[in-house]
Amino acid sequence: MSTPTPAPTLTLNDGFTIPQLGFGVFKVDPAETERIVTDALEVGYRHIDTAAIYGNEEGVGRAIAASGIPRDELFITTKLWNDRQAPAEAHKAIDESLAKLGLDYVDLYLIHWPAPKNGIYLEAWLAMEEIKAAGKARSIGVSNFLVPQLEEIIAGSNTVPVVNQIELHPAFAQREISTFARANGIEIEAWGPLGQGKYELLELPDVTAAAEAHGKTAAQVVIRWHLQTGNIVFPKSNNRGRIAENFDVFDFELTADEMASIDALDSGKRVASHPDDVN
Ligand code: NDP
């Protein structure tokens, strides 16, 4: 098998690097996870995005162990679920995730949702700082945070999150949060990068025209749009062919006009939950 082109990396605000293209495992069946993540590692992915709530950390861990890939060549993210934001719970939760993953540390640990009705995301963030200090997470960040919530944890702690992982795809480009994040040294991770297949993204003429022009697929064009926008992205697929397709995006570049035409698709169309509603 030929050596795959590695994904480019970005440098986070704490000095660690992250592969800009990874593999997400939301809704990957726990019973299938080891096989599917093994496929992704064989294709060349080195960045895996999981979460405690996905119930598949063990499968991710088994695939990592079986791969023989040196730990320092991998970038593994997992997330703290909403009902474990109290500091004592957060400390237990990271230990449980590490045990399931079979790892001594994760590269990135995220608060999964702000869960504003709980009202303790700042306390959770201070626990995340302790988890980082204990060496259990190299980097810490957040997910689904709105601008005022980012402002609150930045003002109330000594650590700026390295990323904010948010729903983001061409119809929902999240310019306000992205602009704030980048101005504060926070990278944007785009979840649902293909719109979770919930709208006709891959059939829109601006996307299919670019795909035809480059001899690539519509999904490859959308992934390329994310990368050229500066987003970190980890499309999910259960299908080996699509897993490989989604990683085969380093041999072409969208033109400025193509980028602008996909930028123009933003309609503020969220396909999943608003962060205020997940508690
Ligand atoms: P995606 O936008 O990655 O879409 C996944 C869907 O697209 C699946 O139905 C998949 O089908 C299909 N698909 C994948 N590749 C292709 C392709 N090349 N052509 C056509 N269809 C394709 O949605 P996700 O929600 O999975 O987002 C990605 C990752 O983001 C998650 O796996 C998770 O890690 C993270 N995430 C984080 C959240 C958070 O709250 N922090 C929330 C949601 C996701 P098939 O499997 O059949 O190929």
Side-chain angles (χ1 to χ4, degrees), residues 24-26 49-50 54 79 112-113 143-144 165 190-197 202 219 234-239 242 245-246:
V25 296
F26 178 45
D49 184 272
T50 185
Y54 301 168
K79 312 186 191 90
H112 204 145
W113 293 86
S143 180
N144 300 301
Q165 181 179 126
W191 66 252
L194 302 174
Q196 297 188 319
L202 303 183
F234 23 81
K236 169 265 173 187
S237 178
N238 282 340
N239 174 283
R242 287 192 286 277
E245 174 187 330
N246 295 346

Side-chain angles (χ1 to χ4, degrees), residues 162-179:
V162 295
V163 302
N164 187 20
Q165 181 179 126
I166 54 176
E167 180 186 337
L168 198 165
H169 39 84
F172 191 54
Q174 295 260 42
R175 299 231 155 73
E176 186 207 349
I177 297 187
S178 298
T179 302

Side-chain angles (χ1 to χ4, degrees), residues 85-255:
Q85 288 186 350
E89 277 302 305
H91 285 286
K92 280 191 228 161
I94 183 65
D95 288 345
E96 289 167 21
S97 284
L98 290 174
K100 288 179 179 169
L101 289 161
L103 299 176
D104 300 328
Y105 68 91
V106 287
D107 295 276
L108 179 58
Y109 198 39
L110 303 179
I111 298 180
H112 204 145
W113 293 86
K117 285 195 183 129
N118 299 350
I120 56 167
Y121 53 79
L122 176 55
E123 285 163 64
W125 184 244
L126 300 178
M128 298 289 276
E129 287 186 314
E130 292 167 0
I131 287 166
K132 176 176 165 75
K136 295 176 182 177
R138 288 264 162 100
S139 298
I140 53 173
V142 296
S143 180
N144 300 301
F145 273 48
L146 303 172
V147 169
Q149 295 161 340
L150 291 171
E151 288 175 325
E152 198 179 328
I153 60 169
I154 292 169
S157 76
N158 296 314
T159 310
V160 176
V162 295
V163 302
N164 187 20
Q165 181 179 126
I166 54 176
E167 180 186 337
L168 198 165
H169 39 84
F172 191 54
Q174 295 260 42
R175 299 231 155 73
E176 186 207 349
I177 297 187
S178 298
T179 302
F180 175 88
R182 294 203 167 97
N184 285 276
I186 302 168
E187 297 292 342
I188 290 292
E189 293 194 329
W191 66 252
L194 302 174
Q196 297 188 319
K198 289 182 179 162
Y199 65 104
E200 304 308 307
L201 172 60
L202 303 183
E203 281 146 46
L204 295 176
D206 293 296
V207 174
T208 56
E212 207 166 307
H214 293 279
K216 302 298 271 190
T217 67
Q220 289 170 325
V221 164
V222 172
I223 293 165
R224 198 64 226 177
W225 172 82
H226 281 286
L227 297 176
Q228 290 180 220
T229 300
N231 301 331
I232 297 161
V233 70
F234 23 81
K236 169 265 173 187
S237 178
N238 282 340
N239 174 283
R240 169 94 187 202
R242 287 192 286 277
I243 292 171
E245 174 187 330
N246 295 346
F247 201 72
D248 181 17
V249 292
F250 303 119
D251 61 352
F252 77 111
E253 200 167 331
L254 298 175
T255 65

